[in-house]
Amino acid sequence: MKIALLGYGKMGKTIEEIAIQRGHEIVIKTSDEDGYDITLADVAIDFSVPKAAFFNIVNCLKHGVPVISGTTGWLDNYENAVNICMEENGAFIYASNFSLGVNIFFELNKQLAKMMSQLKQYNVTIEEIHHTQKLDAPSGTAITLAEGIISEHTAYSKWLLNESKEQVIPITAKRIDSVPGTHIIDYTSKTDSIQITHTAHNRQGFALGAIVAAEWILDKKGVYTMKDVLNIG
Ligand SMILES: NC(=O)C1=CN([C@@H]2O[C@H](COP(=O)(O)OP(=O)(O)OC[C@H]3O[C@@H](n4cnc5c(N)ncnc54)[C@H](O)[C@@H]3O)[C@@H](O)[C@H]2O)C=CC1
Ligand SMILES: O=C(O)C1=N[C@H](C(=O)O)C[C@H](O)C1
């Protein structure tokens, strides 16, 4: 398939490498919003920056090009993107994390939260660690993890960055060297702790997941998630 890479940074370059290995062609690679004809592509993959993602997604949908977005930090506009996709009869997937491992971790997190909901002596925290170039905090993945806990655990109704109070899941964001992405869920009581951790060793899992999503969406219309693509949970 012919792929447009909207964002040709760390992720765009990793996706290019794996897409070519899988027999795909990169017809557009761009680092800004001008000067390309999106209709040359069968599918677009957006890994850009928070302030560009919504424009990139809408541009694809308006031109009938299915779009996969992994960009984080733009989700105030997610419902608008969903509505535009419906109006245009387009195809769209956003995921805060495309890796298979994290998508399994999302399910594990929800199952653990359901069990822990009955045990009020434990308090939950989330920690995420990423490279120092990351623009947004907390990570999109940490937000999805917090939403997963809120959906299953009766003691929590929202998350906050670096703030701990009643009904709140505190998220801590650390920025260290070139860490690709680590997420830790911790339940602590006075007597012990339970932790589950996902550690990305590199960006290849994210990139492969985004390409698998692009291959999957080609013949579809509508708004989907990685759960649909991977058929898990
Ligand atoms: N969902 C997932 O699985 C993952 C999501 N991410 C997210 O993907 C995004 C990109 O990550 P990286 O590649 O590490 O960042 P990066 O900073 O290496 O690359 C972003 C690229 O986007 C370009 N860009 C700026 N404005 C643009 C525009 N209007 N149109 C197209 N490109 C534009 C920048 O010049 C840069 O080359 C971030 O939001 C990050 O959080 C990163 C890894 C995995
Ligand atoms: O910016 C990154 O690098 C990553 N961003 C995503 C996020 O915000 O969750 C996914 C992954 O953790 C890497």
Side-chain angles (χ1 to χ4, degrees):
M1 65 194 178
K2 294 183 174 162
I3 301 176
L5 292 178
L6 309 181
Y8 191 59
K10 292 182 283 301
M11 279 303 296
K13 286 174 184 150
T14 312
I15 291 169
E16 178 180 42
E17 226 176 271
I18 298 176
I20 289 168
Q21 284 166 16
R22 288 172 78 87
H24 303 305
E25 188 188 350
I26 309 300
V27 290
I28 295 166
K29 33 188 174 187
T30 181
S31 283
D32 58 41
E33 60 201 43
D34 302 317
Y36 62 88
D37 176 4
I38 195 66
T39 63
L40 295 175
D42 299 321
V43 62
I45 303 182
D46 166 79
F47 278 82
S48 58
V49 290
K51 66 178 186 331
F54 180 64
F55 174 91
N56 287 344
I57 293 162
V58 172
N59 187 42
C60 294
L61 294 172
K62 296 260 178 207
H63 288 92
V65 178
V67 57
I68 305 299
S69 178
T71 308
T72 52
W74 66 276
L75 281 200
D76 287 353
N77 261 321
Y78 177 75
E79 286 306 322
N80 287 336
V82 167
N83 291 335
I84 292 167
C85 183
M86 297 305 191
E87 280 161 25
E88 299 291 334
N89 193 27
F92 168 50
I93 295 177
Y94 162 77
S96 61
N97 200 305
F98 278 94
S99 79
L100 174 62
V102 162
N103 280 276
I104 290 167
F105 191 64
F106 284 154
E107 295 306 312
L108 190 61
N109 171 55
K110 284 201 273 186
Q111 285 183 23
L112 181 59
K114 199 171 182 177
M115 285 194 272
M116 298 309 284
S117 183
Q118 294 159 36
L119 305 172
K120 303 299 184 225
Q121 64 270 42
Y122 287 90
N123 290 318
V124 73
T125 57
I126 299 178
E127 179 177 304
E128 56 99 334
I129 311 168
H130 284 85
H131 53 94
T132 51
Q133 292 167 359
K134 187 161 177 58
L135 297 179
D136 54 319
S139 67
T141 305
I143 294 172
T144 306
L145 288 164
E147 287 169 345
I149 296 169
I150 290 163
S151 73
E152 304 294 335
H153 198 307
T154 53
Y156 297 102
S157 59
K158 63 183 213 170
W159 61 265
L160 287 171
L161 186 61
N162 297 326
E163 255 191 79
S164 170
K165 54 183 173 183
E166 192 78 1
Q167 294 214 320
V168 164
I169 303 171
I171 305 181
T172 312
K174 293 186 177 161
R175 298 291 171 258
I176 302 174
D177 302 333
S178 57
V179 173
T182 299
H183 292 88
I184 304 160
I185 309 288
D186 179 298
Y187 287 87
T188 290
S189 73
K190 287 198 173 118
T191 52
D192 58 7
S193 293
I194 301 170
Q195 285 192 346
I196 55 170
T197 301
H198 179 273
T199 309
H201 299 314
N202 51 52
R203 292 185 173 78
Q204 296 192 352
F206 311 137
L208 176 61
I211 297 163
V212 167
E215 291 165 350
W216 183 89
I217 209 171
L218 263 193
D219 60 349
K220 297 188 177 59
K221 300 284 180 198
V223 179
Y224 298 96
T225 67
M226 270 314 262
K227 224 174 141 168
D228 301 312
V229 176
L230 297 170
N231 202 14
I232 52 170

